[in-house]
Amino acid sequence: MATRGFGSKMMLLSSFTSVNDMAKAAFPIITPALKVCPWLLKDKFDSSSKAKDLTLHTKVIHGTADEIVPFAQGKELAKILPRSEFVSLEGAGHNDLWASAYESQVLKAVRSFIFPRDETPGVLI
């Protein structure tokens, strides 16, 4: 959507660089097979190749203890995005950003992103 010009901001939570990178991280033994047979992964979802061309303001939030998407991938994606801010949540996993001890940190990051410079309405969130 962002590459098609939709939206003025983008927020990514626990995001990966590509399906290829995720497959390599989850199953390192298949790395040689993916080099020889790249067609094994039908859908690429290659966010990192698209990220460098995006000009919209982006906030990337990722937990350091993410057990599904490696923390390094979220950090890498934030580095590639030209106008991004990276928020690291110490100790947070993949599925515990909401309704957990981290929720207030996530909401604070979301509010500051949506309403910069203390423009947060008192009744929202």
Side-chain angles (χ1 to χ4, degrees):
M1 297 293 287
T3 57
R4 295 183 194 132
F6 292 98
S8 60
K9 292 182 178 184
M10 178 172 64
M11 181 167 285
L12 304 173
L13 283 84
S14 303
S15 192
F16 55 83
T17 51
S18 71
V19 169
N20 193 13
D21 291 343
M22 282 297 299
K24 290 176 185 177
F27 307 105
I29 196 163
I30 68 166
T31 300
L34 290 176
K35 288 182 181 178
V36 176
C37 307
W39 47 265
L40 287 173
L41 291 175
K42 182 181 176 187
D43 296 316
K44 305 297 182 219
F45 295 106
D46 192 357
S47 300
S48 58
S49 70
K50 296 175 183 177
K52 66 183 182 323
D53 297 325
L54 294 176
T55 58
L56 61 156
H57 185 69
T58 306
K59 185 169 275 194
V60 180
I61 301 174
H62 210 112
T64 60
D66 193 323
E67 64 282 359
I68 296 174
V69 178
F71 176 75
Q73 287 192 32
K75 203 168 188 178
E76 178 65 24
L77 195 53
K79 284 181 187 176
I80 297 169
L81 287 157
R83 297 180 61 208
S84 71
E85 175 187 349
F86 185 73
V87 177
S88 170
L89 297 177
E90 190 64 40
H94 188 79
N95 292 314
D96 61 357
L97 298 181
W98 301 104
S100 70
Y102 305 100
E103 183 175 27
S104 63
Q105 291 173 283
V106 173
L107 288 174
K108 183 179 178 182
V110 170
R111 277 190 210 109
S112 69
F113 186 64
I114 295 172
F115 304 106
R117 295 167 289 187
D118 263 351
E119 297 171 10
T120 309
V123 293
L124 184 69
I125 306 176

